[in-house]
Amino acid sequence: MRRVLLLILPTLIIIGAGLTVFGLLEARSVRERLMDDLERKARTVAESIALSAGDVLSISDVEAANRLVESFQKRERVQGCVIYDRAARVVAVTERISDWQGKAKPYLEEVLVSATPRGGLERFQEYSWYSYVLPVFDGGNNIIGLVEVVYDTSYLFDTLAEVWRRISVALIILTSLIVLALLTVERRTYALPVRQLTAWFRGFQKGEEDIVSPVRAKGDFGQLVSEVEQVALSLRVARRAAVEEAHERLQQEELWTEAKLRDLVQARLGENALFVVSNREPYIHIADESGGVRCVRPASGVVTAMDPILQACGGTWIAHGSGNADRKYVNSKNKLGVPPDDNRYILKRVWLTKDEEEGYYYGFANEGLWPLCHVTHTRPVFREGDWEKYKRANQKFAQSVLEELPARNPLVFIQDYHFTLLPRMIKRERPDATVGLFWHIPWPNPEVFAICPYQLEILDGLLACDLVGFHLQFHCNNFLDTVNRLMESRVDTEKFSIVRANQETFVRTFPISIDACSGAEEAEDEERRIQRARRELRLENKIVAVGVDRVDYTKGIAERILAVDRFLEKYPQYKGRFVLLQLGAPSRTHLKRYHELAAEIDELVQEKNWKHSEEDWQPIVYLNRHFSPAEIRAYYMMGDLCIVSSLHDGMNLVAKEYVAAKQGRPGMLILSRFTGASRELVDAVSINPYSIEEFADAIKYSIEMPVEEKKARMEKMRQVVSENNVYRWAGGLIAELTTIQKAKEL
Ligand code: ADQ
């Protein structure tokens, strides 16, 4: 619209100005012509009167003078005539303009003095009149009187108005024709081809076949079209070549690596990109009070696992834009390349209102589903309003995903309990899409799940998936049991799938993990970082146990502090020598339960530090803030022990991160048996975090374990984590999803 206005407005201004000048000149010339005409007529009439007026005036015959003026008043447009004597006194006046006598007429004097006729416009009784005055002479050169002829001039103005009306109509018609012509030319030569080219290129990006654009243009625009076609062609050729190379390499590699996952994605998905949806975004832009902006990777297991996958394979990650500076960093489609300094994939941010975030994320997801799925004795809260907002937010994400999907067989990989309704919403619009959802938290047994008032809608949403993944077989079993008990469906325990309304949903185990090689720096740099951290926290010569968690009631942080307290009570020889270094990333602080938990932990730390502290030693160092992955890695390496005491945890990546970071250094992992990780990391020291006595003993046992045993156990766990890494997790999932996709195509 703006472009069209820019084109049309100057043209209109020029035409308007031109026609106005033309109109003014034309009106002036018409006016002059009419005045000349009027003067000519007036003069003729006046001269005719003057012929007889000479006699009448010389004998002062008033009767004859009156007859004379009345006889001329019928002439065309003549209003009336007046005969004056030589002193400009009225001798006779046409009755119709008898009022004219009262008008002051200084011009009569001028005519008497100059002895020449005079014509001009005069205002009288709010009208404009034309007066022509002719001197009347005796036989010689002496003036004996004057004759005045008065005309009505209204027709003169009517004629001028008519001229202006015609000019205006011409102006309107001309303007409309020019605007129409400009719009037609603009549409044909610019708007339409640009629209066609954009639609074609968008289609090409979504995988539609046509390699030649439908736009045929010449000149500059034609060159642009040709350049766009070249880019499309090179892209397609490069993608094809990459797919073939990937197929070949895939046959050769054994261990799952970033490169092998990339090959698998290229070989299986080809030109189609991977679409990932999660609530938490992997990079958040946060503005601080000083006006600076930081880009932070949030403390989230989902982000820790998924970021290396997207970095390896590319694709689009759609997530809630939750940072207060997020909007500044996206393009017009709400997208940006991430990581910020090395754009490997696209992050598309979805905006939620405060109200939606409150109901969908804090309310339904984190006060309802989160406690429902974690058996930690925190009561789930289900509010109708939250559920409505949860549905609305799922719909918003569905819209955002659907805008992105390629033309054929897209693959969408959804994360977690925030999006139970999203699979159905996507499938309704795109039945050809293959949709997988990974459930990062535990799935409870049917009795527990049946508490949820919206259980059927949630199961219906999830069963639109082609694949639902869990960390553990136990969670898969719980899910199948839940569906079997609560829904009309066919559960196939051989194939581990559920069939409902012509849709088969496969249920599979994929234990999540980490990129075991990521974050490693030069050995010297790492050593320096560790020494600095020990110095700053005054931990030199101390036995350090690290704890790294989001501050969440499922993570058993309070139980950990109580166990340290009991350990020091029971084994006082460790006073002054042992320190728990607890890193706690503030999480969901907006919720009352999390607020209370944060206060409870602060209080416990103070109480136990006060109880046990000696000289400059305190048993607990609590750093309640967010750390970068590199900082956390230094703390892991520094930790003689790592304590993971979750009361219930889908997997727990901290345990795996610690094992990977130690890289052959002695250390020991104390791991809650209620984490998914405990099924794989069987060489850790296993604890029941609810049993404070057992927990305290486990700390002593881990410290006193012979170094050789520690090394051997850590090495076995390191092997497990490096083999069962996050690329294997994603590889398994994507391979399964693409197999399902192929089967559907047949
Ligand atoms: P989370 O509950 O978020 O994940 P977890 O798997 O332990 O838990 O991952 C937490 C991540 O946050 C780790 O990468 C850790 O390094 C990081 N982190 C912790 N404290 C931090 C701090 N102070 N600063 C910065 N980063 C910090 C959910 C499930 C888990 C499951 C994961 C992945 O609850 O059971 O393992 O998803 O599926």
Side-chain angles (χ1 to χ4, degrees):
M1 191 62 202
R2 212 165 145 246
R3 192 185 59 247
V4 175
L5 276 180
L6 276 176
L7 183 74
I8 288 174
L9 265 183
T11 320
L12 287 188
I13 290 171
I14 292 170
I15 295 171
L19 279 179
T20 311
V21 172
F22 168 77
L24 284 171
L25 292 175
E26 174 69 10
R28 209 164 95 183
S29 121
V30 169
R31 190 172 185 278
E32 277 168 7
R33 213 173 53 238
L34 287 172
M35 287 300 287
D36 283 353
D37 189 42
L38 197 57
E39 188 183 339
R40 200 171 28 79
K41 279 186 198 158
R43 194 187 320 120
T44 313
V45 173
E47 281 169 359
S48 304
I49 297 173
L51 283 179
S52 314
D55 299 338
V56 171
L57 283 169
S58 55
I59 56 168
S60 302
D61 185 348
V62 176
E63 285 279 305
N66 276 329
R67 272 198 306 280
L68 189 61
V69 292
E70 288 305 332
S71 67
F72 276 91
Q73 59 113 3
K74 292 196 186 78
R75 292 287 182 93
E76 190 193 359
R77 289 206 176 94
V78 172
Q79 272 308 103
C81 315
V82 191
I83 299 174
Y84 302 91
D85 61 15
R86 65 166 64 90
R89 283 189 302 264
V90 175
V91 176
V93 58
T94 310
E95 205 182 324
R96 199 163 53 194
I97 60 160
S98 55
D99 290 351
W100 184 257
Q101 293 176 75
K103 176 176 160 53
K105 298 178 207 81
Y107 53 86
L108 295 180
E109 196 54 40
E110 283 170 33
V111 178
L112 286 172
V113 172
S114 65
T116 46
R118 178 254 180 209
L121 289 175
E122 295 296 329
R123 288 216 63 80
F124 180 58
Q125 291 178 341
E126 295 174 12
Y127 297 104
S128 178
W129 306 77
Y130 180 77
S131 143
Y132 187 84
V133 184
L134 184 75
V136 182
F137 295 92
D138 58 8
N141 289 332
N142 301 319
I143 296 176
I144 53 168
L146 302 168
V147 169
E148 182 177 28
V149 184
V150 180
Y151 276 81
D152 171 13
T153 60
S154 59
Y155 81 96
L156 209 142
F157 295 102
D158 289 349
T159 313
L160 282 177
E162 178 59 22
V163 169
W164 273 115
R165 204 177 59 78
R166 265 192 261 127
I167 291 173
S168 308
V169 170
L171 182 72
I172 291 169
I173 294 175
L174 200 67
T175 311
S176 312
L177 286 175
I178 289 171
V179 168
L180 208 71
L182 283 175
L183 284 179
T184 314
V185 171
E186 195 270 350
R187 199 178 137 75
R188 289 197 57 148
T189 59
Y190 184 81
L192 219 60
V194 167
R195 222 170 292 152
Q196 276 179 333
L197 185 69
T198 312
W200 170 77
F201 199 60
R202 191 177 298 134
F204 169 79
Q205 290 183 80
K206 288 187 165 196
E208 282 164 13
E209 278 303 322
D210 236 352
I211 195 79
V212 180
S213 94
V215 185
R216 292 282 139 254
K218 293 202 175 95
D220 291 349
F221 189 65
Q223 273 181 12
L224 176 68
V225 172
S226 143
E227 292 302 326
V228 173
E229 277 179 359
Q230 294 320 306
V231 170
L233 181 65
S234 325
L235 253 170
R236 175 148 302 177
V237 171
R239 281 184 195 159
R240 290 256 157 92
V243 170
E244 268 154 37
E245 275 177 36
H247 266 295
E248 274 170 30
R249 281 200 304 267
L250 208 53
Q251 315 295 328
Q252 296 157 12
E253 289 176 39
E254 291 276 308
L255 190 76
W256 276 97
T257 59
E258 183 182 344
K260 180 169 173 177
L261 179 69
R262 197 182 307 126
D263 287 345
L264 173 96
V265 169
Q266 268 171 354
R268 296 284 185 107
L269 291 185
E271 294 184 3
N272 279 359
L274 183 62
F275 292 90
V276 170
V277 190
S278 78
N279 171 70
R280 178 65 67 228
E281 56 180 336
Y283 296 90
I284 310 183
H285 284 98
I286 299 173
D288 50 34
E289 281 121 33
S290 64
V293 175
R294 287 176 300 135
C295 182
V296 173
R297 215 184 81 165
S300 150
V302 175
V303 170
T304 304
M306 289 306 302
D307 184 51
I309 305 301
L310 270 286
Q311 288 210 32
C313 323
T316 302
W317 184 333
I318 297 155
H320 171 211
S322 56
N324 59 0
D326 273 357
R327 283 180 195 262
K328 283 193 195 156
Y329 290 84
V330 293
N331 66 14
S332 58
K333 304 249 185 217
N334 299 318
K335 294 180 190 175
L336 70 158
V338 286
D341 48 357
D342 175 24
N343 296 181
R344 300 276 202 99
Y345 63 95
I346 294 166
L347 169 62
K348 183 180 186 192
R349 287 172 169 157
V350 175
W351 313 115
L352 298 176
T353 62
K354 284 263 174 251
D355 197 41
E356 282 166 346
E357 192 183 353
E358 175 84 35
Y360 138 80
Y361 174 71
Y362 288 106
F364 193 74
N366 285 322
E367 284 192 295
L369 290 180
W370 176 267
L372 179 78
C373 294
H374 289 89
V375 185
T376 52
H377 318 291
T378 292
R379 189 185 197 155
V381 182
F382 294 107
R383 303 179 196 92
E384 185 62 22
D386 290 350
W387 170 243
E388 287 306 321
K389 282 164 206 154
Y390 182 84
K391 284 199 277 191
R392 205 181 312 146
N394 270 245
Q395 193 60 58
K396 230 180 199 180
F397 274 85
Q399 190 54 42
S400 184
V401 173
L402 287 167
E403 280 167 15
E404 298 303 314
L405 296 187
R408 277 188 308 278
N409 306 329
L411 196 145
V412 186
F413 184 23
I414 303 169
Q415 310 302 314
D416 238 356
Y417 61 101
H418 309 92
F419 298 118
T420 57
L421 307 178
L422 184 56
R424 173 72 61 212
M425 291 168 175
I426 293 176
K427 274 290 177 80
R428 211 173 281 141
E429 300 297 320
R430 290 295 302 269
D432 63 320
T434 302
V435 179
L437 183 141
F438 192 79
W439 194 262
H440 289 260
I441 62 176
W443 187 277
N445 64 36
E447 289 75 19
V448 171
F449 188 76
I451 293 171
C452 178
Y454 313 103
Q455 50 192 278
L456 294 183
E457 288 97 322
I458 288 176
L459 292 177
D460 175 68
L462 290 173
L463 292 180
C465 287
D466 297 281
L467 178 68
V468 178
F470 295 96
H471 295 299
L472 305 181
Q473 190 56 50
F474 177 55
H475 300 155
C476 289
N477 296 350
N478 276 349
F479 182 68
L480 288 179
D481 271 1
T482 307
V483 174
N484 204 15
R485 295 248 202 112
L486 303 180
M487 281 219 118
E488 200 59 42
S489 60
R490 183 161 58 81
V491 173
D492 187 330
T493 45
E494 292 275 300
K495 280 164 76 187
F496 252 81
S497 74
I498 300 157
V499 180
R500 184 169 171 273
N502 292 330
Q503 164 75 51
E504 183 160 25
T505 305
F506 292 90
V507 181
R508 296 277 184 274
T509 322
F510 300 96
I512 206 165
S513 193
I514 56 159
D515 173 7
C517 305
S518 90
E521 294 176 308
E522 290 293 317
E524 270 180 33
D525 294 343
E526 289 194 328
E527 200 50 50
R528 219 173 296 129
R529 204 189 265 275
I530 298 168
Q531 292 313 329
R532 188 168 359 110
R534 272 196 187 270
R535 231 180 8 258
E536 280 169 6
L537 299 171
R538 292 196 301 196
L539 296 175
E540 286 126 327
N541 308 319
K542 300 284 184 292
I543 301 162
V544 178
V546 285
V548 179
D549 306 83
R550 281 188 304 104
V551 178
D552 194 296
Y553 53 82
T554 60
K555 301 293 179 185
I557 302 171
E559 285 72 8
R560 200 174 305 170
I561 297 168
L562 293 176
V564 167
D565 172 42
R566 183 71 191 118
F567 161 70
L568 293 170
E569 275 177 358
K570 243 177 140 176
Y571 308 109
Q573 66 271 29
Y574 284 104
K575 283 193 169 206
R577 293 174 57 207
F578 174 89
V579 173
L580 168 67
L581 170 59
Q582 178 64 49
L583 313 186
S587 178
R588 306 171 196 170
T589 42
H590 191 59
L591 295 179
K592 187 162 169 266
R593 178 69 184 89
Y594 285 78
H595 209 70
E596 286 168 357
L597 175 74
E600 186 193 344
I601 293 172
D602 283 342
E603 221 173 278
L604 266 177
V605 169
Q606 277 184 29
E607 182 194 324
K608 301 306 174 195
N609 273 344
W610 181 82
K611 177 175 164 186
H612 295 287
S613 63
E614 288 173 356
E615 296 170 12
D616 64 347
W617 169 80
Q618 290 197 325
I620 303 165
V621 174
Y622 180 39
L623 305 178
N624 183 202
R625 66 176 178 88
H626 187 274
F627 292 88
S628 71
E631 287 173 309
I632 294 182
R633 198 178 146 79
Y635 292 127
Y636 284 143
M637 286 195 285
M638 190 170 88
D640 301 293
L641 304 178
C642 175
I643 306 182
V644 173
S645 52
S646 308
L647 306 180
H648 202 183
D649 217 332
M651 174 55 70
N652 192 287
L653 296 180
V654 170
K656 295 189 172 183
E657 284 171 351
Y658 174 71
V659 166
K662 285 306 273 185
Q663 290 174 347
R665 290 184 175 82
M668 189 37 60
L669 174 66
I670 299 178
L671 182 58
S672 160
R673 63 184 66 128
F674 306 128
T675 60
S678 68
R679 313 286 167 114
E680 288 174 83
L681 303 178
V682 289
D683 285 290
V685 174
S686 170
I687 53 157
N688 169 2
Y690 289 99
S691 168
I692 301 299
E693 210 61 26
E694 177 195 325
F695 196 163
D697 288 343
I699 296 175
K700 176 171 184 282
Y701 175 72
S702 306
I703 294 172
E704 293 176 1
M705 185 185 285
V707 174
E708 282 315 307
E709 186 181 344
K710 279 186 190 171
K711 271 193 169 170
R713 285 190 187 215
M714 287 297 282
E715 179 50 28
K716 280 198 221 156
M717 290 194 278
R718 199 190 60 75
Q719 286 268 336
V720 171
V721 175
S722 58
E723 272 168 33
N724 298 347
N725 57 30
V726 75
Y727 301 113
R728 184 191 178 111
W729 172 78
L733 258 157
I734 291 167
E736 187 82 34
L737 275 169
T738 47
T739 307
I740 296 171
Q741 191 180 42
K742 280 252 146 42
K744 284 201 302 184
E745 278 170 30
L746 294 176

